[in-house]
Amino acid sequence: MQTIVDVNSVEKSYGLTQVINHCSFKIYEGEIYGLLGINGAGKTTLMKMILGLQQIDSGRIYVLGEEVSSNPEYLSNIGSVIENPVFYEHLNANELLSMHLCYMQKKADISKVLHLVGLGNADRKPISKYSLGMRQRLGLARAIIHHPKLLILDEPLNGLDPIAITEMRRLMKKLANEGMSILLSSHIIGEIRHTADRIGILSDGCIKQEFFVEEKVSEFGEHFEDHVIGLMGGVKI
């Protein structure tokens, strides 16, 4: 199984506060890896380091076999939605994705991708008129439009209604089944449980434990969430 992301003993501090402490984990081809931790655990910081947006104090990160640097070539094979996606508000979805493809020097069927994320009927509507959920969908469309090998999603289901959440989970599983690797973060156990193949518990700046979701659910049953909360340090979410 091909290793897509290899985070090896990474550290990151802001002043005297150490956010990431000897953190290590791997993501493999075609899997959905859930990074689970309380707010402020360092999930977004880790994602930014993988994308080369945040400097690493020590340790190494490899993505698609290439070590993270200030100008990594692997970025053309990554799609990401980090924090709140930002758009040119006067454009519509079709115009935005056309511009993005031009920037990436890629070609894709924009209409097909917009239908895939549930925006097929809103492609000509100005983004300034979009709801929070629609913006989340558009952010995902922009992230996958160039068919990346790795997709990084920071709290991807925020702002979505239950039906949209189910649709997005199905889409992520479809993309993974087609070979795309997905790293997603959340502080909500149920969200990760029903989406990820493997979960890494981020606590005290490092991965405290990794496990396959199916195995833990089979082992703990209805007490699965209680068990995971204990791994997260006993903090209720």
Side-chain angles (χ1 to χ4, degrees):
M1 189 180 296
Q2 184 181 0
T3 300
I4 301 300
V5 178
D6 184 356
V7 177
N8 191 344
S9 198
V10 167
E11 295 190 354
K12 178 64 183 179
S13 296
Y14 296 106
L16 299 176
T17 303
Q18 187 162 23
V19 179
I20 304 299
N21 182 21
H22 292 289
C23 183
S24 299
F25 65 95
K26 294 182 179 182
I27 301 171
Y28 300 103
E29 183 178 14
E31 81 165 338
I32 302 176
Y33 187 97
L35 196 59
L36 180 63
I38 63 172
N39 289 330
K43 302 184 296 296
T44 301
T45 297
L46 265 177
M47 290 180 159
K48 287 182 176 180
M49 288 195 289
I50 292 171
L51 289 165
L53 299 175
Q54 191 72 257
Q55 186 176 357
I56 302 167
D57 291 345
S58 64
R60 296 178 184 273
I61 298 177
Y62 297 90
V63 181
L64 298 168
E66 182 182 346
E67 185 171 4
V68 168
S69 63
S70 59
N71 188 29
E73 294 182 3
Y74 66 78
L75 286 178
S76 63
N77 284 310
I78 295 182
S80 65
V81 181
I82 303 295
E83 298 177 327
N84 296 321
V86 177
F87 309 109
Y88 293 105
E89 298 288 320
H90 64 287
L91 299 179
N92 60 45
N94 192 69
E95 293 168 337
L96 181 86
L97 295 182
S98 295
M99 183 178 67
H100 184 69
L101 285 170
C102 182
Y103 169 76
M104 297 291 291
Q105 297 183 327
K106 302 273 188 176
K107 293 183 178 180
D109 186 336
I110 293 174
S111 178
K112 180 179 178 180
V113 172
L114 287 174
H115 276 87
L116 198 61
V117 300
L119 288 177
N121 295 324
D123 58 336
R124 302 293 176 179
K125 184 177 182 178
I127 298 170
S128 60
K129 304 294 185 181
Y130 275 25
S131 66
L132 176 59
M134 292 173 71
R135 288 170 178 269
Q136 289 291 93
R137 292 169 182 265
L138 182 57
L140 181 59
R142 183 171 60 183
I144 66 174
I145 189 73
H146 59 292
H147 306 292
K149 294 180 180 178
L150 172 65
L151 181 60
I152 297 178
L153 303 174
D154 189 12
E155 307 275 1
L157 303 181
N158 280 356
L160 299 183
D161 59 54
I163 294 175
I165 287 173
T166 300
E167 292 173 349
M168 296 297 272
R169 282 177 181 154
R170 288 175 181 164
L171 175 56
M172 283 188 270
K173 290 181 182 295
K174 179 179 185 294
L175 294 171
N177 287 336
E178 293 172 355
M180 189 180 297
S181 303
I182 301 175
L183 170 62
L184 64 91
S185 74
S186 182
H187 62 280
I188 302 172
I189 298 172
E191 180 179 309
I192 291 284
R193 170 183 174 175
H194 294 292
T195 309
D197 301 309
R198 267 193 316 140
I199 288 177
I201 305 293
L202 183 63
S203 179
D204 296 327
C206 65
I207 300 296
K208 289 292 187 180
Q209 188 173 137
E210 283 181 325
F211 53 82
F212 287 95
V213 176
E214 287 187 2
E215 291 180 358
K216 285 293 183 184
V217 170
S218 177
E219 181 180 357
F220 290 95
E222 63 181 20
H223 300 294
F224 171 79
E225 292 200 10
D226 293 332
H227 173 71
V228 173
I229 288 173
L231 294 176
M232 295 170 69
V235 179
K236 294 184 179 181
I237 301 176

